[in-house]
Amino acid sequence: MPDTGPIRPEQIPVPTPRRSGPSGATAAPAHPASARRAGLLVILMLGGLTAMPPLSMDMYLPALPQVTESLHSPAATVQLTLTACLAGMALGQLVVGPMSDRWGRRRPLVAGMALYVVATALCAFAPTAGLLIAFRLAQGLAGAAGLVIARAIVRDLYDGVAMARFFSTLMLVSGVAPVVAPLIGGQVLRVTDWRGVFYVLTGVGALLTLVTARWLEETLPPERRHSGGLGETLRMMRGLLADRVFTGYMLAGGFAFAVLFAYISASPFVVQEIYGASPQTYGLLFGLNSIGLVGAGQLNGKVLAGRVDLDKTLATGLAVITAAAVALLLMASGALGRVGLAPIAAGLFVLMSAMGLVLPNTNALALTRTPHAAGSGSALLGTAAFLVGAVASPLVGVAGEHTAWPMALVQLVCALAAVACFLGLCRPWRHADRTTG
């Protein structure tokens, strides 16, 4: 795959956000105070859009054991409801991303969010595990619009180090979702069953859809849109995949996301079934881990970005994830003797926190190479992440519900694969000065 060569710091523009109206025409600069308000509103809306996938999955996590009993299905089958949602988000991004390059960001986004609300409501009424899996697939397909277009909007507005900082800022907003979602899910289960979780998600999705339709401005003007059809879209994606460095960051981010999703999929059973924690305790531990992820993301965006080469920060994050996965495997397999919940929780906290150094930087470094096709590039990044995560999800349950070693083994294998893609394809030592400054 060809490498277009290193991008020098002086070649990376760090623009202020470009504002445009719904029609795509560039608007005149606003008064500084109103610009700050508009900027905050955009951050909150984009954060909400990127928060919907973790919100859709994490609120549901404390209810997984209850779903197995209610629908009379084994844990491996119920975990497929997570896999179906992930697969839907992966495939949906491949469709919506190129659509947003052709028709702009607003129309595909609002349509996708409206369909998400309908699919989520159907999940609440699913009478069988099979139908719940089907509705979760539809929910993922529709919800992909918010995820892929939010990333594309960031690429419309920012580049280089500024983009990495903005992704870290988004992590602060969207990171609230995994912090509060299991807590909300646990509290919802106190007053109703698992179906109530989907009622709450339906309401949140409807509110976000209304806010987005009313206040989110178009960021892709008509002159920057692609007018071609399916053939041009496929050629564009083929060109992106032919870029070895873009593909390396895409795969490294995808495997890192699989480490994260192995934790998301297995942790309800590991923490509650194996170590005997209540749904509320599980929610608190999950929230602490998410705080670690958000804190590391802010360290990346506020302190490291612009001072430390993004590739070096990414390498550090991958190294910490790998070390934490090794420690978890040793503990889960019994190599260190019988351990309780506290050491396992500490290992998971370190692993989750390091994600804050990996996920924003893989997105930023990859999208820096796609100024001509932000929607398609964002779609490929999201699809790779969710497809690998969807494969990892059922693997963590192959040995049943009474051992944690499959989760740790899947995490270690995926972490090593991420390191291999980063070193073998990105070859950061060849362009060490690319993203500093």
Side-chain angles (χ1 to χ4, degrees):
M1 298 179 184
D3 183 356
T4 57
I7 304 174
R8 301 285 181 182
E10 59 269 20
Q11 294 176 289
I12 300 178
V14 185
T16 55
R18 297 187 293 271
R19 302 179 69 250
S20 59
S23 65
T26 303
H31 186 275
S34 64
R36 284 195 296 271
R37 287 195 295 270
L40 177 61
L41 183 60
V42 169
I43 290 173
L44 291 175
M45 283 190 289
L46 295 183
L49 292 171
T50 56
M52 286 310 297
L55 195 66
S56 300
M57 291 183 287
D58 298 346
M59 273 188 65
Y60 175 66
L61 293 180
L64 283 179
Q66 188 182 107
V67 176
T68 62
E69 297 179 7
S70 174
L71 300 182
H72 308 290
S73 298
T77 300
V78 172
Q79 283 174 328
L80 287 177
T81 62
L82 296 174
T83 303
C85 189
L86 271 183
M89 288 181 182
L91 298 175
Q93 289 182 77
L94 282 179
V95 176
V96 179
M99 286 174 59
S100 74
D101 282 337
R102 182 175 182 182
W103 290 306
R105 311 304 186 200
R106 276 179 49 86
R107 286 188 293 171
L109 175 58
V110 173
M113 289 302 298
L115 292 174
Y116 168 88
V117 172
V118 175
T120 305
L122 290 174
C123 289
F125 296 98
T128 65
L131 282 175
L132 181 59
I133 291 170
F135 293 150
R136 289 282 279 176
L137 176 64
Q139 183 190 40
L141 287 168
L147 193 62
V148 68
I149 294 178
R151 278 196 306 265
I153 289 174
V154 174
R155 185 62 185 90
D156 291 340
L157 299 177
Y158 295 99
D159 202 352
V161 171
M163 181 164 43
R165 287 173 175 157
F166 196 88
F167 274 125
S168 294
T169 301
L170 279 188
M171 184 169 288
L172 176 62
V173 179
S174 63
V176 173
V179 172
V180 302
L183 298 175
I184 295 174
Q187 296 306 313
V188 169
L189 294 178
R190 285 180 175 269
V191 297
T192 184
D193 61 7
W194 61 271
R195 299 180 190 275
V197 173
F198 288 107
Y199 296 145
V200 175
L201 285 173
T202 301
V204 173
L207 177 61
L208 184 58
T209 302
L210 292 174
V211 170
T212 301
R214 173 64 179 84
W215 283 292
L216 185 64
E217 298 178 343
E218 181 60 68
T219 60
L220 187 67
E223 62 270 17
R224 292 172 53 201
R225 298 176 188 175
H226 297 285
S227 58
L230 178 61
E232 181 182 348
T233 296
L234 294 176
R235 285 192 297 272
M236 190 178 303
M237 288 188 171
R238 186 168 63 246
L240 292 174
L241 292 175
D243 180 349
R244 171 175 51 77
V245 180
F246 171 84
T247 301
Y249 289 125
M250 178 188 73
L251 292 176
F255 281 112
F257 185 82
V259 175
L260 174 63
F261 198 73
Y263 160 74
I264 291 174
S265 181
S267 60
F269 298 98
V270 170
V271 174
Q272 295 180 82
E273 300 295 328
I274 298 176
Y275 293 98
S278 67
Q280 290 71 37
T281 300
Y282 168 75
L284 287 172
L285 291 175
F286 196 96
L288 287 174
N289 290 340
S290 300
I291 290 173
L293 186 151
V294 171
Q298 295 315 292
L299 174 67
N300 176 73
K302 305 299 184 183
V303 179
L304 301 179
R307 295 181 177 88
V308 180
D309 179 76
L310 296 184
D311 280 314
K312 291 180 180 178
T313 304
L314 174 56
T316 300
L318 289 174
V320 173
I321 289 172
T322 304
V326 170
L328 286 168
L329 182 59
L330 291 175
M331 289 187 288
S333 64
L336 301 180
R338 184 175 179 82
V339 298
L341 177 60
I344 293 290
L348 291 172
F349 177 82
V350 173
L351 183 145
M352 284 283 286
S353 297
M355 290 292 172
L357 303 178
V358 173
L359 299 181
N361 291 329
T362 53
N363 283 334
L365 287 165
L367 288 176
T368 294
R369 306 181 71 89
T370 65
H372 57 292
S376 296
S378 176
L380 289 173
L381 288 174
T383 298
F386 281 96
L387 281 180
V388 178
V391 172
S393 173
L395 295 179
V396 300
V398 294
E401 307 169 30
H402 306 294
T403 177
W405 72 259
M407 176 192 73
L409 180 61
V410 170
Q411 288 174 328
L412 179 57
V413 170
C414 291
L416 292 174
V419 171
C421 291
F422 175 60
L423 297 179
L425 296 176
C426 301
R427 302 176 189 176
W429 58 87
R430 293 191 176 183
H431 39 76
D433 63 345
R434 182 180 54 191
T435 53
T436 57

